[in-house]
Coordinates of all heavy atoms in Angstrom, one line a residue:
M708 N 15.7 150.9 182.2 CA 16.3 152.0 182.9 C 15.4 153.2 182.8 O 15.0 153.6 181.8 CB 17.7 152.3 182.3 CG 18.4 153.4 183.0 SD 19.8 154.1 182.1 CE 21.1 153.3 182.8
N709 N 15.2 153.8 184.0 CA 14.2 155.0 184.0 C 15.1 156.2 184.1 O 15.7 156.5 185.2 CB 13.3 154.8 185.3 CG 12.3 155.9 185.3 OD1 12.1 156.7 184.4 ND2 11.5 155.9 186.4
K710 N 15.0 157.1 183.1 CA 15.8 158.3 183.1 C 14.8 159.5 183.5 O 13.8 159.6 182.8 CB 16.4 158.6 181.7 CG 17.8 158.2 181.6 CD 18.3 158.6 180.3 CE 19.6 159.3 180.5 NZ 20.2 159.7 179.2
T711 N 15.2 160.2 184.5 CA 14.4 161.4 184.9 C 14.8 162.6 184.1 O 16.0 162.9 184.0 CB 14.5 161.7 186.4 OG1 14.2 160.5 187.1 CG2 13.7 162.8 186.8
K712 N 13.9 163.3 183.5 CA 14.2 164.5 182.7 C 14.4 165.7 183.7 O 13.5 165.9 184.5 CB 13.0 164.8 181.8 CG 13.3 165.9 180.8 CD 13.6 165.5 179.5 CE 13.6 166.6 178.5 NZ 14.5 166.3 177.4
E713 N 15.4 166.4 183.5 CA 15.7 167.6 184.3 C 14.7 168.7 183.9 O 14.3 168.7 182.7 CB 17.1 168.1 184.1 CG 18.2 167.2 184.6 CD 18.2 167.1 186.2 OE1 17.8 168.1 186.8 OE2 18.6 166.1 186.6
I714 N 14.3 169.5 184.8 CA 13.4 170.6 184.5 C 14.1 171.5 183.5 O 13.5 171.9 182.5 CB 13.0 171.4 185.7 CG1 12.1 170.5 186.7 CG2 12.2 172.7 185.3 CD1 11.8 171.2 188.0
I715 N 15.3 171.8 183.8 CA 16.1 172.7 182.9 C 17.6 172.4 183.1 O 18.0 172.0 184.1 CB 15.8 174.2 183.3 CG1 16.4 175.2 182.2 CG2 16.3 174.6 184.7 CD1 15.9 176.6 182.3
T716 N 18.3 172.5 182.0 CA 19.8 172.3 182.1 C 20.5 173.6 181.6 O 20.0 174.4 180.9 CB 20.2 171.1 181.2 OG1 19.8 171.3 179.9 CG2 19.7 169.8 181.7
F717 N 21.7 173.7 182.1 CA 22.5 174.9 181.7 C 23.8 174.4 181.0 O 24.4 173.4 181.4 CB 23.0 175.6 183.0 CG 21.9 176.4 183.6 CD1 20.9 175.9 184.3 CD2 22.0 177.8 183.6 CE1 19.9 176.6 184.9 CE2 21.0 178.6 184.2 CZ 20.0 178.0 184.9
T718 N 24.2 175.1 180.0 CA 25.5 174.8 179.3 C 26.6 175.3 180.3 O 26.3 176.0 181.2 CB 25.6 175.5 178.0 OG1 25.7 177.0 178.3 CG2 24.5 175.2 177.0
E719 N 27.8 174.8 180.0 CA 28.9 175.2 180.9 C 29.1 176.8 180.8 O 29.3 177.4 181.9 CB 30.2 174.6 180.5 CG 30.3 173.1 180.8 CD 30.1 172.8 182.3 OE1 30.7 173.5 183.1 OE2 29.3 171.9 182.6
S720 N 28.9 177.3 179.7 CA 29.0 178.8 179.5 C 27.9 179.5 180.3 O 28.2 180.5 181.0 CB 28.9 179.1 178.0 OG 28.6 180.4 177.8
A721 N 26.7 179.0 180.3 CA 25.6 179.6 181.1 C 25.9 179.5 182.6 O 25.7 180.4 183.4 CB 24.3 179.0 180.7
K722 N 26.4 178.3 183.0 CA 26.7 178.1 184.4 C 27.8 179.2 184.9 O 27.7 179.8 185.9 CB 27.3 176.7 184.7 CG 26.3 175.7 184.6 CD 27.0 174.3 184.8 CE 26.1 173.2 184.3 NZ 26.8 171.9 184.5
D723 N 28.8 179.3 184.0 CA 29.9 180.3 184.4 C 29.3 181.7 184.5 O 29.7 182.5 185.4 CB 31.0 180.2 183.3 CG 31.8 179.0 183.4 OD1 31.7 178.2 184.4 OD2 32.5 178.6 182.4
R724 N 28.4 182.1 183.6 CA 27.9 183.4 183.6 C 27.0 183.6 184.8 O 27.1 184.7 185.4 CB 27.1 183.6 182.3 CG 26.5 185.0 182.1 CD 27.6 186.0 181.9 NE 27.0 187.3 181.8 CZ 27.3 188.4 182.4 NH1 28.3 188.4 183.2 NH2 26.7 189.6 182.2
V725 N 26.2 182.7 185.2 CA 25.4 182.8 186.4 C 26.2 182.9 187.6 O 26.0 183.8 188.5 CB 24.4 181.6 186.5 CG1 23.7 181.6 187.8 CG2 23.3 181.7 185.4
K726 N 27.3 182.2 187.7 CA 28.2 182.3 188.8 C 28.8 183.7 188.9 O 28.9 184.2 190.0 CB 29.3 181.2 188.7 CG 28.9 179.8 189.0 CD 30.0 178.9 188.8 CE 29.6 177.4 188.6 NZ 30.7 176.5 188.3
E727 N 29.2 184.2 187.8 CA 29.8 185.5 187.7 C 28.8 186.6 188.2 O 29.1 187.5 188.9 CB 30.3 185.8 186.3 CG 30.9 187.2 186.1 CD 31.3 187.4 184.6 OE1 31.3 186.5 183.8 OE2 31.5 188.6 184.3
I728 N 27.5 186.5 187.7 CA 26.5 187.4 188.0 C 26.2 187.4 189.5 O 26.1 188.5 190.2 CB 25.2 187.2 187.2 CG1 25.5 187.6 185.7 CG2 24.0 187.9 187.7 CD1 24.4 187.1 184.8
I729 N 26.1 186.2 190.1 CA 25.8 186.1 191.5 C 27.0 186.6 192.3 O 26.7 187.3 193.3 CB 25.5 184.6 191.9 CG1 24.2 184.1 191.3 CG2 25.5 184.4 193.4 CD1 23.0 184.6 191.9
T730 N 28.2 186.3 191.9 CA 29.4 186.8 192.7 C 29.5 188.3 192.6 O 29.9 188.9 193.6 CB 30.7 186.2 192.0 OG1 30.5 184.8 192.1 CG2 31.9 186.6 192.7
K731 N 29.1 189.0 191.5 CA 29.3 190.4 191.4 C 28.0 191.2 191.9 O 28.0 192.4 191.9 CB 29.5 190.8 189.9 CG 30.9 190.4 189.5 CD 31.1 190.8 188.1 CE 32.6 190.4 187.6 NZ 32.8 190.9 186.3
A732 N 27.0 190.5 192.3 CA 25.7 191.2 192.8 C 26.1 192.0 194.0 O 26.9 191.7 194.8 CB 24.7 190.1 193.1
K733 N 25.3 193.1 194.1 CA 25.6 194.1 195.2 C 25.0 193.6 196.5 O 25.3 194.1 197.5 CB 25.0 195.5 194.8 CG 25.7 196.0 193.5 CD 25.5 197.5 193.4 CE 26.1 198.1 192.2 NZ 27.4 197.8 191.8
K734 N 24.0 192.7 196.4 CA 23.4 192.2 197.6 C 23.8 190.7 197.8 O 24.3 190.1 196.8 CB 21.9 192.3 197.6 CG 21.3 193.6 197.7 CD 19.8 193.5 197.8 CE 19.2 194.8 198.1 NZ 17.7 194.7 198.2
N735 N 23.5 190.1 198.9 CA 23.7 188.7 199.1 C 22.5 187.9 198.8 O 21.7 187.6 199.6 CB 24.1 188.5 200.6 CG 25.2 187.6 200.8 OD1 25.8 187.2 199.9 ND2 25.5 187.3 202.1
Y736 N 22.4 187.6 197.5 CA 21.3 186.8 197.0 C 21.5 185.3 197.2 O 22.6 184.9 197.3 CB 21.0 187.1 195.5 CG 20.7 188.5 195.2 CD1 21.6 189.4 194.6 CD2 19.4 189.0 195.5 CE1 21.3 190.7 194.4 CE2 19.1 190.3 195.3 CZ 20.0 191.2 194.7 OH 19.6 192.5 194.4
I737 N 20.4 184.6 197.3 CA 20.5 183.1 197.6 C 20.5 182.3 196.3 O 20.7 181.1 196.3 CB 19.5 182.6 198.6 CG1 18.0 182.9 198.1 CG2 19.7 183.3 199.9 CD1 17.0 182.2 198.9
G738 N 20.2 182.9 195.2 CA 20.2 182.3 193.9 C 19.5 183.1 192.8 O 19.4 184.3 193.0
I739 N 19.0 182.4 191.8 CA 18.2 183.0 190.8 C 16.9 182.4 190.6 O 16.7 181.2 191.0 CB 19.0 183.0 189.4 CG1 19.2 181.6 188.9 CG2 20.3 183.8 189.5 CD1 19.7 181.5 187.5
R740 N 15.9 183.1 190.1 CA 14.5 182.6 189.9 C 14.2 182.7 188.4 O 14.5 183.7 187.8 CB 13.5 183.3 190.7 CG 12.1 182.8 190.4 CD 11.0 183.4 191.3 NE 11.2 182.9 192.6 CZ 11.5 183.6 193.7 NH1 11.8 184.9 193.6 NH2 11.6 183.1 194.9
I741 N 13.7 181.6 187.9 CA 13.3 181.6 186.5 C 11.8 181.6 186.5 O 11.1 180.8 187.2 CB 13.8 180.3 185.7 CG1 15.4 180.4 185.7 CG2 13.3 180.3 184.3 CD1 16.0 179.2 185.1
G742 N 11.2 182.5 185.7 CA 9.7 182.6 185.6 C 9.3 183.0 184.3 O 10.1 183.2 183.3
I743 N 8.0 183.3 184.1 CA 7.5 183.7 182.8 C 6.6 185.0 183.1 O 6.1 185.2 184.2 CB 6.7 182.7 182.1 CG1 5.5 182.1 183.0 CG2 7.5 181.6 181.6 CD1 4.6 181.2 182.2
D744 N 6.5 185.8 182.1 CA 5.7 187.0 182.2 C 4.7 186.9 181.1 O 5.0 186.7 179.9 CB 6.6 188.2 182.0 CG 5.8 189.5 182.2 OD1 4.6 189.5 182.4 OD2 6.5 190.6 182.1
N745 N 3.4 186.9 181.4 CA 2.3 186.8 180.4 C 1.8 188.1 179.9 O 0.8 188.2 179.3 CB 1.2 186.0 181.1 CG 1.5 184.6 181.4 OD1 2.3 184.0 180.7 ND2 1.1 184.1 182.5
S746 N 2.5 189.2 180.2 CA 2.0 190.5 179.9 C 2.1 191.0 178.4 O 1.6 192.0 178.0 CB 2.6 191.6 180.8 OG 4.0 191.7 180.5
G747 N 2.9 190.3 177.6 CA 3.1 190.7 176.2 C 2.0 190.2 175.3 O 1.2 189.3 175.6
C748 N 1.9 190.8 174.1 CA 0.9 190.4 173.2 C 1.4 189.3 172.3 O 0.6 188.8 171.5 CB 0.4 191.6 172.3 SG 1.8 192.4 171.4
S749 N 2.7 188.9 172.4 CA 3.2 187.9 171.5 C 3.5 186.6 172.3 O 4.4 185.8 171.9 CB 4.5 188.4 170.8 OG 5.4 188.7 171.8
G750 N 2.8 186.4 173.4 CA 3.1 185.1 174.1 C 3.8 185.4 175.4 O 3.9 186.5 175.9
H751 N 4.5 184.3 175.9 CA 5.3 184.4 177.1 C 6.6 185.1 176.9 O 7.3 184.9 175.9 CB 5.5 183.0 177.7 CG 4.2 182.3 177.9 ND1 3.3 182.7 178.9 CD2 3.7 181.1 177.4 CE1 2.3 181.8 178.9 NE2 2.5 180.9 178.0
S752 N 7.0 185.8 177.9 CA 8.4 186.2 178.0 C 9.0 185.5 179.2 O 8.4 185.4 180.2 CB 8.5 187.8 178.2 OG 7.9 188.5 177.2
Y753 N 10.2 185.1 179.0 CA 10.9 184.4 180.1 C 11.8 185.4 180.9 O 12.3 186.3 180.3 CB 11.8 183.3 179.6 CG 10.9 182.2 178.9 CD1 10.7 182.3 177.5 CD2 10.3 181.2 179.6 CE1 9.8 181.5 176.9 CE2 9.4 180.3 179.0 CZ 9.2 180.5 177.6 OH 8.4 179.5 177.0
K754 N 11.8 185.3 182.2 CA 12.6 186.2 183.0 C 13.5 185.5 184.0 O 13.1 184.4 184.5 CB 11.7 187.2 183.7 CG 10.7 186.6 184.6 CD 9.7 187.7 185.1 CE 8.7 187.0 186.0 NZ 7.8 188.0 186.6
I755 N 14.6 186.1 184.3 CA 15.5 185.5 185.4 C 15.8 186.7 186.3 O 16.2 187.8 185.8 CB 16.8 185.0 184.7 CG1 16.5 183.8 183.8 CG2 17.8 184.6 185.8 CD1 17.7 183.3 183.1
D756 N 15.5 186.5 187.6 CA 15.8 187.5 188.6 C 16.6 187.0 189.7 O 16.7 185.7 189.9 CB 14.4 187.9 189.2 CG 13.5 188.6 188.2 OD1 14.0 189.6 187.5 OD2 12.3 188.2 188.1
Y757 N 17.2 187.9 190.5 CA 17.9 187.4 191.7 C 16.8 187.0 192.8 O 15.7 187.5 192.7 CB 18.6 188.6 192.3 CG 19.8 189.1 191.5 CD1 19.8 190.3 190.9 CD2 21.0 188.3 191.5 CE1 21.0 190.7 190.2 CE2 22.1 188.7 190.7 CZ 22.1 189.9 190.1 OH 23.2 190.3 189.4
V758 N 17.2 186.2 193.7 CA 16.3 185.7 194.7 C 16.9 186.1 196.1 O 18.0 185.8 196.4 CB 16.1 184.1 194.7 CG1 15.3 183.7 195.8 CG2 15.6 183.7 193.3
E759 N 16.1 186.7 196.9 CA 16.4 187.0 198.2 C 15.8 186.1 199.2 O 16.3 185.7 200.2 CB 16.0 188.5 198.6 CG 16.8 189.5 197.9 CD 16.5 190.9 198.3 OE1 16.8 191.3 199.5 OE2 15.9 191.7 197.6
N760 N 14.6 185.6 198.9 CA 13.8 184.7 199.7 C 13.0 183.7 198.9 O 12.6 184.0 197.8 CB 12.7 185.5 200.5 CG 13.3 186.6 201.4 OD1 14.2 186.2 202.2 ND2 13.0 187.8 201.2
K761 N 13.0 182.5 199.4 CA 12.2 181.4 198.7 C 10.8 181.7 198.8 O 10.3 182.1 199.9 CB 12.6 180.1 199.4 CG 11.9 178.9 198.7 CD 12.1 177.6 199.5 CE 11.4 176.4 198.9 NZ 10.0 176.6 198.7
I762 N 10.0 181.4 197.8 CA 8.5 181.4 197.8 C 8.1 180.0 198.0 O 8.7 179.1 197.4 CB 8.0 182.0 196.5 CG1 8.5 183.5 196.3 CG2 6.5 181.9 196.5 CD1 8.2 184.1 195.0
D763 N 7.1 179.8 198.8 CA 6.6 178.4 199.1 C 6.4 177.5 197.9 O 6.7 176.3 198.0 CB 5.3 178.4 200.0 CG 5.6 178.9 201.4 OD1 6.7 178.9 201.9 OD2 4.6 179.3 202.0
S764 N 5.9 178.1 196.8 CA 5.6 177.3 195.7 C 6.8 177.0 194.7 O 6.7 176.3 193.8 CB 4.5 177.9 194.8 OG 4.9 179.2 194.3
D765 N 8.0 177.6 195.1 CA 9.2 177.4 194.3 C 9.7 176.0 194.3 O 9.6 175.3 195.3 CB 10.3 178.3 194.8 CG 10.2 179.7 194.4 OD1 9.5 180.0 193.4 OD2 10.9 180.5 195.1
E766 N 10.1 175.5 193.1 CA 10.9 174.3 193.0 C 12.3 174.7 193.0 O 12.7 175.8 192.4 CB 10.6 173.5 191.8 CG 9.2 173.0 191.7 CD 9.1 171.7 190.9 OE1 10.0 170.9 190.9 OE2 8.1 171.5 190.3
I767 N 13.2 174.0 193.7 CA 14.6 174.4 193.7 C 15.5 173.2 193.1 O 15.3 172.1 193.4 CB 15.1 174.6 195.2 CG1 14.3 175.6 195.9 CG2 16.6 175.0 195.2 CD1 14.6 175.8 197.3
I768 N 16.3 173.7 192.2 CA 17.3 172.7 191.6 C 18.6 173.4 191.8 O 18.8 174.6 192.0 CB 17.0 172.4 190.1 CG1 17.1 173.7 189.2 CG2 15.7 171.7 189.9 CD1 17.0 173.4 187.7
F769 N 19.6 172.5 191.8 CA 21.0 173.0 192.0 C 21.8 172.8 190.7 O 21.8 171.7 190.2 CB 21.7 172.3 193.1 CG 21.1 172.6 194.5 CD1 20.0 171.9 195.0 CD2 21.6 173.6 195.2 CE1 19.5 172.2 196.2 CE2 21.1 174.0 196.5 CZ 20.0 173.3 197.0
I770 N 22.4 173.8 190.2 CA 23.3 173.7 189.1 C 24.6 174.2 189.6 O 24.9 175.4 189.8 CB 22.8 174.7 187.9 CG1 21.3 174.4 187.6 CG2 23.7 174.6 186.7 CD1 21.0 173.1 186.9
D771 N 25.5 173.2 189.8 CA 26.9 173.5 190.2 C 26.9 174.4 191.5 O 27.4 175.5 191.5 CB 27.7 174.2 189.1 CG 28.2 173.2 188.1 OD1 27.9 172.0 188.3 OD2 29.0 173.6 187.2
N772 N 26.2 174.1 192.5 CA 26.0 174.8 193.7 C 25.3 176.1 193.6 O 25.3 177.0 194.5 CB 27.4 175.1 194.4 CG 28.0 173.8 194.8 OD1 27.4 172.9 195.3 ND2 29.3 173.7 194.7
I773 N 24.7 176.4 192.5 CA 23.8 177.6 192.3 C 22.4 177.1 192.6 O 21.9 176.2 191.9 CB 23.9 178.2 190.9 CG1 25.4 178.6 190.6 CG2 23.0 179.4 190.8 CD1 25.6 178.8 189.1
K774 N 21.7 177.8 193.5 CA 20.3 177.5 193.7 C 19.5 178.2 192.6 O 19.6 179.4 192.4 CB 19.8 178.0 195.0 CG 20.2 177.1 196.2 CD 19.6 177.6 197.4 CE 20.0 176.8 198.6 NZ 19.5 177.4 199.9
V775 N 18.7 177.4 191.8 CA 17.8 177.9 190.8 C 16.4 177.7 191.3 O 16.0 176.5 191.4 CB 18.1 177.3 189.4 CG1 17.1 177.8 188.4 CG2 19.5 177.5 189.0
F776 N 15.7 178.7 191.5 CA 14.3 178.7 192.0 C 13.4 178.8 190.8 O 13.5 179.7 189.9 CB 14.0 179.8 192.9 CG 14.8 179.8 194.2 CD1 16.1 180.2 194.2 CD2 14.3 179.2 195.4 CE1 16.9 180.2 195.3 CE2 15.1 179.2 196.5 CZ 16.4 179.6 196.5
I777 N 12.5 177.8 190.6 CA 11.5 177.8 189.5 C 10.1 177.9 190.0 O 9.7 177.1 190.8 CB 11.7 176.6 188.7 CG1 13.2 176.5 188.2 CG2 10.8 176.5 187.5 CD1 13.5 175.2 187.5
D778 N 9.5 179.0 189.6 CA 8.1 179.2 190.0 C 7.3 178.0 189.5 O 7.4 177.6 188.3 CB 7.6 180.5 189.3 CG 6.1 180.8 189.6 OD1 5.3 180.0 189.4 OD2 5.9 181.9 190.1
A779 N 6.5 177.4 190.3 CA 5.7 176.2 190.0 C 4.9 176.3 188.7 O 4.7 175.4 188.0 CB 4.9 175.8 191.2
S780 N 4.3 177.5 188.5 CA 3.5 177.7 187.3 C 4.3 177.8 186.0 O 3.8 177.8 184.9 CB 2.6 179.0 187.5 OG 3.5 180.1 187.5
T781 N 5.6 178.0 186.2 CA 6.5 178.1 185.0 C 7.0 176.7 184.6 O 7.4 176.5 183.4 CB 7.7 178.9 185.4 OG1 7.3 180.2 185.8 CG2 8.7 179.1 184.3
T782 N 7.1 175.7 185.4 CA 7.6 174.4 185.1 C 7.2 173.8 183.8 O 8.0 173.4 183.0 CB 7.4 173.4 186.3 OG1 7.9 174.0 187.5 CG2 8.0 172.1 186.0
M783 N 5.9 173.8 183.6 CA 5.4 173.2 182.3 C 5.9 173.9 181.1 O 5.9 173.3 180.0 CB 3.9 173.1 182.4 CG 3.1 174.4 182.3 SD 1.4 174.0 182.4 CE 0.7 175.2 181.4
Y784 N 6.2 175.2 181.2 CA 6.7 175.9 180.0 C 8.2 175.8 179.7 O 8.6 176.0 178.6 CB 6.4 177.4 180.2 CG 4.9 177.7 180.2 CD1 4.3 178.0 181.5 CD2 4.1 177.7 179.1 CE1 2.9 178.2 181.6 CE2 2.7 177.9 179.2 CZ 2.2 178.2 180.4 OH 0.8 178.4 180.5
I785 N 9.0 175.4 180.7 CA 10.4 175.3 180.6 C 10.9 173.9 180.7 O 12.1 173.7 180.5 CB 11.1 176.2 181.5 CG1 11.0 175.8 183.0 CG2 10.8 177.7 181.3 CD1 11.9 176.5 183.9
L786 N 10.1 172.9 180.9 CA 10.5 171.5 181.1 C 11.3 171.1 179.9 O 10.9 171.2 178.8 CB 9.3 170.6 181.3 CG 9.6 169.2 181.7 CD1 10.3 169.1 183.0 CD2 8.3 168.4 181.7
G787 N 12.6 170.6 180.2 CA 13.5 170.1 179.2 C 14.3 171.2 178.5 O 15.0 170.9 177.6
S788 N 14.1 172.5 178.9 CA 14.8 173.6 178.2 C 16.3 173.6 178.5 O 16.7 173.0 179.6 CB 14.3 174.9 178.6 OG 12.9 175.1 178.2
K789 N 17.1 174.2 177.7 CA 18.5 174.3 177.9 C 18.9 175.7 177.7 O 18.6 176.4 176.7 CB 19.3 173.4 176.9 CG 20.8 173.4 177.2 CD 21.4 172.4 176.2 CE 22.8 171.9 176.7 NZ 23.3 170.9 175.9
I790 N 19.6 176.3 178.7 CA 20.1 177.7 178.7 C 21.6 177.6 178.4 O 22.3 176.9 178.9 CB 19.9 178.4 180.1 CG1 18.4 178.5 180.3 CG2 20.5 179.7 180.1 CD1 18.1 179.2 181.6

């Protein structure tokens, strides 16, 4: 049996929080984007932002009807992570 590893998974609590944040947003966003910021001196910082437009290099996964956009350069750093 071949099991495919998800790029990232969300706990039920995290799913509920993301749904709440998207619902209460002041703009009509299409989802959230997960990325990394290399600007710190202590390694990577992870960031989550609202998404208005898809970027060509984004990977898209769906978590309970929430579009999660993952920057292609971020995938190797978050593969198998759980939020």
